[in-house]
Amino acid sequence: MSAARRSAPAAAPATRPIRRVLIANRGEIAVRIARACRELGIESIAVYSDADVGAPHVRAADHSVHIGPAPAAQSYLRGDHLIEVAKAHGADAIHPGYGFLSEREWFARAVREAGLIWIGPPAEAIAAMGSKTAARTLAIAAGTPVVPGTTEALRDATQAAELAAQFGYPVLLKAAAGGGGKGMRVVRAPGEIASALESAKREAQNAFGDDAVYIEKYIEGPRHVEIQVLADAHGTCVAVGERECSIQRRHQKMIEEAPSVAVSPELRKRMGDAAVAAAKAAGYVNAGTCEFLLDAHGDFYFLEMNTRIQVEHPVTELVTGLDLVQWQLRIAAGEKLPFAEAPEPRGWAIECRITSEDPAHGFLPSTGRITALHLPSGPGIRWDGGIEVGTTVGLSYDPMLAKLIVHAPTREAAIARMRRALQELVIEGVETSCEFHLRMMDDPEYRRSAVDIQWLEAKLPALLGAAPPEETIRAAAVGAVLLAERDREGRVRQVANGGARTSLGVAGSDAPSELRGWARLARDESLRRR
Ligand code: MV4
């Protein structure tokens, strides 16, 4: 009716300022994004489910909107609803974080079609890299090395056996729609291939609704090294260095580092060029990561590209001085990258993922209410967290509570610093991976970085079976002292009894006498202060 009303501009909103961002995520990454927005003078809107009322990410943002019940399918995964919320509350952009909707092509497209800025790569690049066979085809065209194998789905077991004979055993069957190891089967002999193909197809169908499976030569005992890429909308694409991610369990990374001991400046350049070539072939814009396997001979192979900001991005930030989340926002607003090459990494950064999983019981998820929290601080420490005292940890979402990240001049100093930081850290109320990380920092093989992607799972029984080192027991008690000094009211008894408890059951009445001595000291000290 009114001539003054105009429909939204049809052109892609590629170069316009961002004033208000809806953060379509929760936990530590939502806090991280809110911080980046704040520093850039951009307003942020948090969204939260019933399980996240009053959560840290809600208070980290300028505004907040309730979006539904706890299950993600009824809250953080309701893309159409999130777009409605963004429009209704005056957001001009959406940041998806990682997980949830971050790599859903349809959501990236829907955000764009709603006239909002998508803080991530084009929907087309997400789609191209989402299919592992399409990603291989792109990488091959770009001259990026890939593992010997096919780019087309296997027709049947006969064809699989022919190809396996050609590449040589062992081979790996992989789901074309895959990722995260689902639908993967190692085949070591011709007699196993028919049944492996059948079960890989069945698993792929169940997990992805697509039973296409292809074949690769199986690389034994490689490292997982990934390259962080930043690409702007003006044709500049830069590799900003590698992350070493071999310390993983069941496809969940536990510890990440930058740089990697296995990457020389010369290899860094070659892997960086290979990553940039693959990204450019996909028409990539924004922050992304190319995953590679690096074998013992120093040969590397492109696996896949992650089209999102990753959990482990802080280690790259610490050794490059770049703020990757700020760059995501600036690139999405149309800014040009002011550099064509990244500097060599400065110092060493390590990240430990602090999860609510009990290492003493097979990393079983642990739930409860955070009753006490003492965060490490001092030189070279960074805490990216999404918890506080009072936070209820349930089973609706990922068990990662926070990331503890350190930076130091050398790898040795970074390990010493992480050890010190883990000793200061106290989390009460749920079991956490903290004790596991402490043991890792003392492990001789980890300290030499004599690891590959299979190392941790083989190592775990020995790592968790042995009694905790004396130093760890003392550390737990020191944590209790620090906590007692911080919290003088009401929590004294709890600190004395529980502050030194660790996930491996060091605690309580069967605690070594030295530990109980420290805990008593902590209690007496805080009583004296009252
Ligand atoms: C491989 C491989 C060995 N050879 N491909 C795991 C999930 C998916 N991203 C690809 N993965 C692998 N592909 C060939 N040809 C070993 C793995 C692999 C792995 C890769 C990276 C990090 C952890 C891993 C754990 C197990 C297997």
Side-chain angles (χ1 to χ4, degrees), residues 252-528:
Q252 291 297 314
K253 295 165 187 165
M254 302 291 289
I255 301 176
E256 304 98 340
E257 301 182 16
S260 164
V261 298
V263 177
S264 65
E266 176 269 331
L267 180 57
R268 180 170 301 124
K269 172 86 172 79
R270 284 194 291 126
M271 291 183 79
D273 288 348
V276 166
K280 282 188 167 168
Y284 207 86
V285 177
N286 215 283
T289 299
C290 290
E291 290 188 7
F292 293 92
L293 296 178
L294 175 63
D295 73 17
H297 313 291
D299 291 324
F300 61 89
Y301 308 92
F302 172 85
L303 275 187
E304 49 194 78
M305 184 168 190
N306 299 319
T307 55
R308 60 172 190 274
I309 191 74
Q310 286 187 264
V311 171
E312 59 270 29
H313 76 274
V315 293
T316 301
E317 297 191 318
L318 292 177
V319 298
T320 61
L322 295 166
D323 188 311
L324 294 172
V325 179
Q326 285 193 16
W327 274 112
Q328 287 194 288
L329 291 154
R330 294 169 70 169
I331 288 168
E335 251 190 77
K336 275 180 80 93
L337 287 169
F339 48 86
E341 259 174 69
E344 287 299 304
R346 203 183 62 84
W348 216 276
I350 302 177
E351 171 177 285
C352 288
R353 296 189 185 197
I354 309 299
T355 65
S356 52
E357 294 173 312
D358 185 356
H361 296 98
F363 287 88
L364 203 71
S366 170
T367 60
R369 187 172 161 275
I370 307 285
T371 52
L373 183 63
H374 175 82
L375 299 186
S377 52
I381 306 286
R382 170 169 166 181
W383 174 264
D384 277 23
I387 55 164
E388 61 194 357
V389 170
T391 299
T392 297
V393 179
L395 294 171
S396 297
Y397 311 116
D398 190 273
M400 199 184 74
L401 306 176
K403 302 161 339 199
L404 177 56
I405 313 117
V406 302
H407 187 216
T410 64
R411 186 168 186 274
E412 203 182 0
I415 291 171
R417 184 158 277 172
M418 180 61 85
R419 194 163 175 275
R420 187 268 292 175
L422 288 163
Q423 289 173 350
E424 288 184 21
L425 176 63
V426 177
I427 302 176
E428 286 291 308
V430 294
E431 302 298 337
T432 75
S433 56
C434 183
E435 170 70 24
F436 157 79
H437 288 301
L438 259 173
R439 292 189 183 200
M440 285 290 296
M441 294 303 124
D442 285 337
D443 182 83
E445 286 169 329
Y446 173 72
R447 293 173 72 92
R448 293 199 307 274
S449 198
V451 300
D452 61 35
I453 59 175
Q454 275 126 32
W455 178 82
L456 179 60
E457 284 176 52
K459 182 80 189 181
L460 271 177
L463 195 74
L464 299 176
E470 194 152 321
E471 178 66 22
T472 298
I473 296 166
R474 195 172 301 116
V478 170
V481 173
L482 287 167
L483 185 68
E485 285 181 348
R486 220 168 73 103
D487 184 353
R488 294 179 208 169
E489 282 170 10
R491 223 174 288 279
V492 177
R493 225 159 48 88
Q494 184 181 7
V495 167
N497 293 336
R501 195 181 67 224
T502 79
S503 55
L504 289 177
V506 174
S509 55
D510 59 4
S513 59
E514 188 196 13
L515 170 74
R516 278 186 269 121
W518 277 92
R520 225 174 4 254
L521 190 74
R523 187 191 54 199
D524 292 347
E525 178 67 7
S526 30
L527 285 174
R528 193 178 61 75

Side-chain angles (χ1 to χ4, degrees), residues 132 136 147-148 171-172 174 178-182 184 186 214-225 245-246 248-253 291-293 301 303-304 306 453-454 457:
K132 305 309 154 193
R136 276 171 65 79
V147 187
V171 293
L172 189 57
K174 289 186 175 182
K182 283 211 190 83
M184 254 176 36
V186 181
Y214 68 106
I215 189 169
E216 285 181 7
K217 172 83 188 151
Y218 180 61
I219 310 293
E220 302 256 22
R223 288 174 180 265
H224 176 192
V225 176
C245 303
S246 298
Q248 59 86 38
R249 180 186 162 270
R250 300 193 181 171
H251 303 289
Q252 291 297 314
K253 295 165 187 165
E291 290 188 7
F292 293 92
L293 296 178
Y301 308 92
L303 275 187
E304 49 194 78
N306 299 319
I453 59 175
Q454 275 126 32
E457 284 176 52

Side-chain angles (χ1 to χ4, degrees), residues 12-22 86 91-96 107-108 110-120 286 328-334:
T15 54
R16 63 180 216 225
I18 295 172
R19 295 195 180 83
R20 187 179 288 182
V21 171
L22 181 130
D92 36 39
I94 294 184
H95 196 309
F107 186 58
V111 169
R112 182 171 70 195
E113 284 169 1
L116 298 167
I117 297 173
W118 168 249
I119 301 167
N286 215 283
Q328 287 194 288
L329 291 154
R330 294 169 70 169
I331 288 168

